[in-house]
PDB file of all heavy atoms in Angstrom:
ATOM      1  N   GLY J1153       3.730   7.169 -11.193  1.00 35.00           N
ATOM      2  CA  GLY J1153       2.363   6.775 -10.851  1.00 35.00           C
ATOM      3  C   GLY J1153       2.232   5.569  -9.973  1.00 35.00           C
ATOM      4  O   GLY J1153       1.240   5.400  -9.323  1.00 35.00           O
ATOM      5  N   THR J1154       3.213   4.656  -9.933  1.00 36.00           N
ATOM      6  CA  THR J1154       3.060   3.444  -9.158  1.00 36.00           C
ATOM      7  C   THR J1154       4.176   3.345  -8.155  1.00 36.00           C
ATOM      8  O   THR J1154       5.332   3.424  -8.521  1.00 36.00           O
ATOM      9  CB  THR J1154       3.097   2.196 -10.067  1.00 36.00           C
ATOM     10  OG1 THR J1154       2.071   2.329 -11.038  1.00 36.00           O
ATOM     11  CG2 THR J1154       2.887   0.937  -9.259  1.00 36.00           C
ATOM     12  N   GLU J1155       3.829   3.152  -6.883  1.00 40.00           N
ATOM     13  CA  GLU J1155       4.844   2.990  -5.859  1.00 40.00           C
ATOM     14  C   GLU J1155       5.325   1.556  -5.895  1.00 40.00           C
ATOM     15  O   GLU J1155       4.554   0.629  -5.981  1.00 40.00           O
ATOM     16  CB  GLU J1155       4.258   3.296  -4.479  1.00 40.00           C
ATOM     17  CG  GLU J1155       3.697   4.711  -4.385  1.00 40.00           C
ATOM     18  CD  GLU J1155       2.841   4.857  -3.166  1.00 40.00           C
ATOM     19  OE1 GLU J1155       3.207   4.332  -2.116  1.00 40.00           O
ATOM     20  OE2 GLU J1155       1.806   5.506  -3.276  1.00 40.00           O
ATOM     21  N   GLY J1156       6.600   1.366  -5.751  1.00 37.00           N
ATOM     22  CA  GLY J1156       7.154   0.022  -5.756  1.00 37.00           C
ATOM     23  C   GLY J1156       7.378  -0.468  -4.353  1.00 37.00           C
ATOM     24  O   GLY J1156       6.909   0.082  -3.401  1.00 37.00           O
ATOM     25  N   ALA J1157       8.171  -1.525  -4.238  1.00 35.00           N
ATOM     26  CA  ALA J1157       8.524  -2.047  -2.935  1.00 35.00           C
ATOM     27  C   ALA J1157      10.003  -2.280  -2.920  1.00 35.00           C
ATOM     28  O   ALA J1157      10.566  -2.768  -3.882  1.00 35.00           O
ATOM     29  CB  ALA J1157       7.779  -3.355  -2.666  1.00 35.00           C
ATOM     30  N   GLY J1158      10.659  -1.962  -1.841  1.00 35.00           N
ATOM     31  CA  GLY J1158      12.097  -2.155  -1.823  1.00 35.00           C
ATOM     32  C   GLY J1158      12.594  -2.441  -0.451  1.00 35.00           C
ATOM     33  O   GLY J1158      12.028  -2.056   0.538  1.00 35.00           O
ATOM     34  N   ALA J1159      13.722  -3.147  -0.385  1.00 36.00           N
ATOM     35  CA  ALA J1159      14.427  -3.382   0.854  1.00 36.00           C
ATOM     36  C   ALA J1159      15.639  -4.201   0.549  1.00 36.00           C
ATOM     37  O   ALA J1159      15.785  -4.732  -0.535  1.00 36.00           O
ATOM     38  CB  ALA J1159      13.543  -4.132   1.852  1.00 36.00           C
ATOM     39  N   GLY J1160      16.521  -4.345   1.480  1.00 36.00           N
ATOM     40  CA  GLY J1160      17.646  -5.253   1.303  1.00 36.00           C
ATOM     41  C   GLY J1160      17.139  -6.668   1.375  1.00 36.00           C
ATOM     42  O   GLY J1160      16.276  -6.979   2.174  1.00 36.00           O
ATOM     43  N   ALA J1161      17.687  -7.562   0.586  1.00 37.00           N
ATOM     44  CA  ALA J1161      17.231  -8.949   0.588  1.00 37.00           C
ATOM     45  C   ALA J1161      17.749  -9.651   1.823  1.00 37.00           C
ATOM     46  O   ALA J1161      18.932  -9.636   2.113  1.00 37.00           O
ATOM     47  CB  ALA J1161      17.735  -9.660  -0.667  1.00 37.00           C
ATOM     48  N   ALA J1162      16.831 -10.288   2.581  1.00 39.00           N
ATOM     49  CA  ALA J1162      17.232 -11.023   3.778  1.00 39.00           C
ATOM     50  C   ALA J1162      17.683 -12.394   3.349  1.00 39.00           C
ATOM     51  O   ALA J1162      16.895 -13.291   3.176  1.00 39.00           O
ATOM     52  CB  ALA J1162      16.048 -11.122   4.740  1.00 39.00           C
ATOM     53  N   GLN J1163      19.010 -12.559   3.183  1.00 38.00           N
ATOM     54  CA  GLN J1163      19.546 -13.785   2.613  1.00 38.00           C
ATOM     55  C   GLN J1163      20.501 -14.449   3.568  1.00 38.00           C
ATOM     56  O   GLN J1163      21.385 -15.197   3.166  1.00 38.00           O
ATOM     57  CB  GLN J1163      20.247 -13.488   1.287  1.00 38.00           C
ATOM     58  CG  GLN J1163      19.324 -12.846   0.275  1.00 38.00           C
ATOM     59  CD  GLN J1163      20.051 -12.461  -0.989  1.00 38.00           C
ATOM     60  OE1 GLN J1163      21.249 -12.660  -1.118  1.00 38.00           O
ATOM     61  NE2 GLN J1163      19.335 -11.890  -1.920  1.00 38.00           N
ATOM     62  N   GLY J1164      20.408 -14.188   4.837  1.00 40.00           N
ATOM     63  CA  GLY J1164      21.286 -14.814   5.797  1.00 40.00           C
ATOM     64  C   GLY J1164      22.454 -13.937   6.166  1.00 40.00           C
ATOM     65  O   GLY J1164      23.071 -14.140   7.206  1.00 40.00           O
ATOM     66  N   GLU J1165      22.839 -12.950   5.329  1.00 37.00           N
ATOM     67  CA  GLU J1165      23.921 -12.053   5.655  1.00 37.00           C
ATOM     68  C   GLU J1165      23.411 -11.010   6.635  1.00 37.00           C
ATOM     69  O   GLU J1165      22.369 -10.429   6.453  1.00 37.00           O
ATOM     70  CB  GLU J1165      24.449 -11.374   4.388  1.00 37.00           C
ATOM     71  CG  GLU J1165      24.952 -12.363   3.348  1.00 37.00           C
ATOM     72  CD  GLU J1165      25.380 -11.652   2.078  1.00 37.00           C
ATOM     73  OE1 GLU J1165      25.651 -10.444   2.150  1.00 37.00           O
ATOM     74  OE2 GLU J1165      25.434 -12.305   1.037  1.00 37.00           O
ATOM     75  N   GLN J1166      24.196 -10.713   7.683  1.00 36.00           N
ATOM     76  CA  GLN J1166      23.732  -9.829   8.737  1.00 36.00           C
ATOM     77  C   GLN J1166      23.369  -8.452   8.209  1.00 36.00           C
ATOM     78  O   GLN J1166      22.367  -7.867   8.590  1.00 36.00           O
ATOM     79  CB  GLN J1166      24.820  -9.703   9.807  1.00 36.00           C
ATOM     80  CG  GLN J1166      24.424  -8.843  11.000  1.00 36.00           C
ATOM     81  CD  GLN J1166      23.273  -9.463  11.757  1.00 36.00           C
ATOM     82  OE1 GLN J1166      23.095 -10.673  11.748  1.00 36.00           O
ATOM     83  NE2 GLN J1166      22.459  -8.616  12.372  1.00 36.00           N
ATOM     84  N   SER J1167      24.196  -7.929   7.295  1.00 37.00           N
ATOM     85  CA  SER J1167      23.935  -6.579   6.804  1.00 37.00           C
ATOM     86  C   SER J1167      22.623  -6.505   6.068  1.00 37.00           C
ATOM     87  O   SER J1167      21.934  -5.492   6.095  1.00 37.00           O
ATOM     88  CB  SER J1167      25.072  -6.135   5.873  1.00 37.00           C
ATOM     89  OG  SER J1167      25.153  -6.995   4.764  1.00 37.00           O
ATOM     90  N   ARG J1168      22.228  -7.599   5.403  1.00 39.00           N
ATOM     91  CA  ARG J1168      20.970  -7.586   4.660  1.00 39.00           C
ATOM     92  C   ARG J1168      19.798  -7.909   5.552  1.00 39.00           C
ATOM     93  O   ARG J1168      18.686  -7.470   5.301  1.00 39.00           O
ATOM     94  CB  ARG J1168      21.059  -8.573   3.498  1.00 39.00           C
ATOM     95  CG  ARG J1168      22.029  -8.101   2.430  1.00 39.00           C
ATOM     96  CD  ARG J1168      22.018  -9.016   1.238  1.00 39.00           C
ATOM     97  NE  ARG J1168      22.888  -8.496   0.198  1.00 39.00           N
ATOM     98  CZ  ARG J1168      23.048  -9.060  -0.977  1.00 39.00           C
ATOM     99  NH1 ARG J1168      22.382 -10.152  -1.278  1.00 39.00           N
ATOM    100  NH2 ARG J1168      23.854  -8.532  -1.879  1.00 39.00           N
ATOM    101  N   GLU J1169      20.019  -8.684   6.599  1.00 42.00           N
ATOM    102  CA  GLU J1169      18.912  -9.010   7.490  1.00 42.00           C
ATOM    103  C   GLU J1169      18.434  -7.778   8.239  1.00 42.00           C
ATOM    104  O   GLU J1169      17.303  -7.701   8.691  1.00 42.00           O
ATOM    105  CB  GLU J1169      19.332 -10.101   8.477  1.00 42.00           C
ATOM    106  CG  GLU J1169      19.432 -11.487   7.822  1.00 42.00           C
ATOM    107  CD  GLU J1169      19.816 -12.551   8.834  1.00 42.00           C
ATOM    108  OE1 GLU J1169      20.227 -12.186   9.945  1.00 42.00           O
ATOM    109  OE2 GLU J1169      19.704 -13.732   8.505  1.00 42.00           O
TER     110      GLU J1169
END
Side-chain angles (χ1 to χ4, degrees):
T1154 303
E1155 301 166 41
Q1163 301 176 359
E1165 301 176 21
Q1166 182 64 27
S1167 61
R1168 291 185 176 182
E1169 286 181 347

